[in-house]
Amino acid sequence: MTLENILFPEIIDTPESILQKYPKRPEGKVVTRIAPSPTWFLHIWAVYSAMLDKIVAHKNNWIFFLRIEDTDQKREVEGAAKKYVEILKKFWLEFDEWPIWPNGEDVGKYGPYTQSQREYIYKVFIKDLVKKGLAYPCFLTEEEITATREIQEASKVPTGIYKEYSPWRYASFEDIQKALSEKKEFVVRLKSSWELTKKIEVEDLIKWKISTQENFLDIVICKSSGIPTYHFAHLIDDHLMGTTHVIRWDEWFASVPLHYELFHMMDWEVPKYAHYGPLVKIDGDSRRKLSKRKDAEADVEFYFQNGYFIEAILDFLSNILNAWFEDWRKQNLEASYLDFDFKLERINSAWALVDMDKLTFVNAAYIKNLPIEKLYEALGEYLQTFEEGFYENVFLKAEKKYNIAILIELKTRLTTLKEFIALTWFFYNDFEMNEERKSLLINPKMKIENLDIVKKWLQLALDILSAKNNDFENIEEIKNIFVEEIKNAEMKNWQVLWPVRVALSGEEFSPGALELIFILGREKSIQRIKKVLNFI
Ligand code: GLU
């Protein structure tokens, strides 16, 4: 029996028979994919990356697909893959081809799109490489690998398993048979034919051309569990699935020489590579990668929980991709980000800065431009999902007209939906006076130096409000009356209105006194001012 048949007796297909099942994609079309690993939550990276892939595919009007890289089953989280699709859908990042869970049929003819279902396919190619002498089983133990590394370090040569440092590369058929009969564990390694001393030029659509060292390592292509490594799965999947542009984290950039060797070895066309910098944040004086463990904003859910709009997140990420997106957006308020002329070569290859202040700014601008009915609807959905108690017991119980009046007032100041409750609690709740609130009534900068002055202006407001016997039609009406009376008292508007505003809101910052009177209504305003007057 031949070596490849001893190693892979169950594999009966040949590369040719597999290749036949994956017809070449039409010439000149662009095919991109995202290939996440389904480990716990959805990192904002996945959205960023999917956007980029979608942009590149969409610009060329062709295929954007999803492949689930679940070969690391120890780290896999149940249901994570399905969640990916659901969440990306919220961002309108839909795929042309994708896997369906748990056992439904995939959408697309180039599947299965889940790596754990492709083991047989990988093995067909591994078997063939062994047959051709381009790969070999390696029985080195962890201890032997460590010992090799120590020897290499001592003699100052590059570390790793290659050429003369790989005994199984030169092992005889008998030696291999013996190791197999002893049931020794083995991996399959690539028999690299490239040279340590040679350089190759790799091309990258973001990083441009880089001259770098060839791969010379006999890397593992199939683990002892029979599952291929990322490198090998990338080679097989992206070739069979017809990916033309591999757009991925730059942590994979160091592997490009190896991937070039793999594609050359198969005599397959090398896809175009584009490596973008990792998402980073500012931490003290330096930047560091956004960490799943440390940074709440790494998780996509964080953005939903904190009341950011999908549209704002997409704009924010677009702006990270190409900085002049912002200017374009100002001219094209209604357009989809997909209409913007993104340039891959202008993406920062070193890092992509996630600046939450910037996102909040973009979100606030989005809120400001949103028609009030839409904002009201989004707020309702947000509260229902994340603030159920408030939604049921307060928001729904108030009149829609009242909620809308508050929202209109707040629209220019609201930066996220999450802020709504904190900024509006006093519209929905009466509050007790206390010393802290009392101290807010005094404001020496506005010449309100003591409580006597406070009392005087609160009384003036009370008199104005009491003199009227119905509610106000609009803010203008309130304004006219107050301005007139304040003028008569020979005061400045802000002097009188400061304590009135504090008495109505109980807050240091809030909408203006006149707006508060308009929204709260005459009666409630009178009640609150009286309560404060009684307290001080
Ligand atoms: N599963 C790989 C990762 O999560 C995908 C890299 C790629 O896009 O090829 O990093």
Side-chain angles (χ1 to χ4, degrees):
M1 217 167 22
T2 55
L3 178 57
E4 68 277 10
N5 280 329
I6 297 175
L7 295 176
F8 300 103
E10 75 282 16
I11 304 298
I12 47 170
D13 276 275
T14 60
E16 292 67 35
S17 62
I18 299 287
L19 283 160
Q20 260 174 20
K21 295 188 194 142
Y22 292 85
K24 266 192 165 300
R25 305 263 193 184
E27 203 58 40
K29 296 290 190 180
V30 167
V31 178
T32 65
R33 85 301 191 266
I34 86 160
S37 305
T39 51
W40 57 346
F41 59 70
L42 188 65
H43 197 289
I44 187 70
W45 157 80
V47 178
Y48 179 76
S49 177
M51 267 180 79
L52 187 50
D53 278 283
K54 174 132 187 160
I55 287 164
V56 173
H58 175 100
K59 255 173 98 168
N60 297 281
N61 199 18
W62 202 239
I63 298 291
F64 164 50
F65 72 86
L66 170 69
R67 179 172 68 236
I68 295 295
E69 305 215 322
D70 59 346
T71 51
D72 186 355
Q73 288 175 340
K74 267 187 253 136
R75 286 175 54 228
E76 186 168 343
V77 172
E78 175 92 26
K82 195 159 180 242
K83 211 158 165 225
Y84 265 71
V85 176
E86 279 165 14
I87 292 192
L88 291 179
K89 208 169 169 182
K90 288 196 190 179
F91 286 88
W92 305 288
L93 290 163
E94 280 152 341
F95 300 96
D96 302 302
E97 298 169 8
W98 76 96
I100 299 209
W101 300 276
N103 293 314
E105 267 187 35
D106 289 358
V107 175
K109 293 197 201 105
Y110 290 78
Y113 296 90
T114 306
Q115 284 188 335
S116 57
Q117 295 170 21
R118 301 175 61 78
E119 221 178 292
Y120 182 83
I121 299 175
Y122 302 128
K123 284 189 177 155
V124 170
F125 288 94
I126 292 171
K127 181 175 183 178
D128 187 58
L129 290 176
V130 173
K131 180 177 164 195
K132 291 178 174 150
L134 297 170
Y136 61 93
C138 168
F139 298 85
L140 285 179
T141 60
E142 280 305 319
E143 294 73 38
E144 287 168 330
I145 292 175
T146 310
T148 305
R149 196 182 48 244
E150 283 165 6
I151 295 170
Q152 291 167 327
E153 279 167 359
S155 43
K156 298 202 168 28
V157 296
T159 55
I161 303 304
Y162 57 94
K163 308 262 166 22
E164 65 270 31
Y165 294 100
S166 180
W168 290 98
R169 185 181 165 119
Y170 306 105
S172 66
F173 185 57
E174 289 69 34
D175 288 344
I176 295 174
Q177 264 184 323
K178 186 163 172 281
L180 287 172
S181 67
E182 288 165 7
K183 301 258 174 297
K184 282 193 175 162
E185 272 203 351
F186 70 92
V187 297
V188 179
R189 287 186 185 273
L190 162 77
K191 192 183 275 179
S192 174
S193 60
W194 285 16
E195 297 295 330
L196 168 63
T197 49
K198 285 198 191 144
K199 293 225 156 199
I200 50 160
E201 198 157 79
V202 300
E203 274 195 60
D204 187 284
L205 297 176
I206 296 177
K207 291 178 185 290
W208 303 92
K209 276 197 176 121
I210 296 185
S211 170
T212 179
Q213 191 180 44
E214 276 190 1
N215 171 65
F216 60 93
L217 295 171
D218 287 358
I219 58 109
V220 175
I221 54 177
C222 183
K223 298 182 235 176
S224 57
S225 56
I227 292 172
T229 53
Y230 165 76
H231 307 293
F232 195 73
H234 156 51
L235 166 79
I236 302 301
D237 292 345
D238 282 317
H239 178 73
L240 295 182
M241 296 176 177
T243 309
T244 58
H245 290 57
V246 172
I247 303 169
R248 59 186 181 187
W249 277 115
D250 81 343
E251 72 178 46
W252 293 115
F253 185 68
S255 306
V256 174
L258 166 64
H259 297 167
Y260 266 52
E261 177 171 14
L262 292 173
F263 277 94
H264 282 292
M265 176 183 72
M266 303 299 262
D267 207 12
W268 290 345
E269 191 180 336
V270 184
K272 290 190 166 56
Y273 285 104
H275 292 85
Y276 56 82
L279 296 180
V280 300
K281 71 180 279 182
I282 297 196
D283 190 4
D285 292 338
S286 55
R287 294 192 169 89
R288 67 165 172 78
K289 259 193 206 172
L290 214 54
S291 141
K292 287 206 277 197
R293 271 163 250 277
K294 284 194 234 158
D295 304 313
E297 69 269 36
D299 186 353
V300 175
E301 288 290 344
F302 166 90
Y303 298 84
F304 299 148
Q305 281 161 11
N306 283 281
Y308 290 101
F309 281 82
I310 302 275
E311 291 86 344
I313 303 169
L314 287 171
D315 270 21
F316 168 66
L317 294 176
S318 298
N319 211 53
I320 296 180
L321 287 171
N322 278 177
W324 70 103
F325 175 85
E326 205 171 349
D327 292 334
W328 176 86
R329 172 54 85 210
K330 283 185 200 138
Q331 314 297 324
N332 300 276
L333 283 179
E334 303 289 321
S336 157
Y337 70 95
L338 288 168
D339 296 339
F340 174 72
D341 188 18
F342 284 96
K343 299 261 185 268
L344 260 185
E345 63 277 15
R346 301 281 292 272
I347 290 172
N348 189 330
S349 62
W351 40 259
L353 182 63
V354 176
D355 172 355
M356 291 307 287
D357 291 344
K358 176 88 192 178
L359 171 61
T360 305
F361 177 81
V362 175
N363 204 54
Y366 183 78
I367 290 177
K368 219 162 153 182
N369 287 322
L370 208 57
I372 197 71
E373 274 295 335
K374 285 221 163 110
L375 180 58
Y376 181 73
E377 208 179 293
L379 177 67
E381 274 171 31
Y382 172 81
L383 295 173
Q384 192 174 10
T385 315
F386 297 106
E387 301 285 353
E388 214 184 328
F390 177 85
Y391 180 73
E392 298 281 339
N393 304 324
V394 182
F395 195 73
L396 282 188
K397 294 215 168 109
E399 269 187 65
K400 180 174 176 187
K401 205 172 132 216
Y402 188 65
N403 289 334
I404 292 256
I406 294 170
L407 203 50
I408 290 175
E409 176 47 40
L410 214 65
K411 202 170 171 242
T412 51
R413 287 192 303 129
L414 197 63
T415 65
T416 65
L417 295 176
K418 188 185 169 75
E419 288 176 341
F420 183 80
I421 299 181
L423 290 177
T424 61
W425 68 272
F426 47 81
F427 284 117
Y428 297 102
N429 299 284
D430 286 326
F431 52 87
E432 290 307 317
M433 270 310 278
N434 56 26
E435 290 305 316
E436 197 186 327
R437 292 202 170 105
K438 188 165 132 186
S439 66
L440 289 177
L441 292 161
I442 296 180
N443 187 338
K445 269 196 231 135
M446 294 203 170
K447 300 217 169 53
I448 306 161
E449 277 114 355
N450 56 52
L451 287 175
D452 287 338
I453 304 181
V454 171
K455 279 183 196 155
K456 198 166 156 195
W457 303 135
L458 288 183
Q459 192 57 51
L460 176 69
L462 197 56
D463 293 344
I464 300 173
L465 295 173
S466 309
K468 203 159 180 304
N469 45 21
N470 55 343
D471 257 326
F472 297 95
E473 286 294 311
N474 48 41
I475 294 191
E476 275 311 293
E477 193 189 347
I478 307 175
K479 195 170 164 195
N480 291 341
I481 303 179
F482 270 82
V483 167
E484 178 75 29
E485 294 292 339
I486 295 172
K487 206 161 130 201
N488 290 344
E490 293 185 0
M491 293 306 298
K492 298 266 186 258
N493 288 346
W494 40 266
Q495 285 172 309
V496 176
L497 295 180
W498 174 271
V500 176
R501 192 191 59 68
V502 175
L504 294 175
S505 68
E507 285 281 349
E508 187 178 1
F509 303 103
S510 75
L514 306 179
E515 286 77 7
L516 289 173
I517 294 171
F518 178 66
I519 296 170
L520 289 167
R522 200 178 63 93
E523 240 170 73
K524 183 148 261 171
S525 303
I526 291 177
Q527 239 176 47
R528 287 196 181 178
I529 294 173
K530 276 190 180 159
K531 197 157 136 189
V532 174
L533 276 171
N534 284 340
F535 186 84
I536 57 178

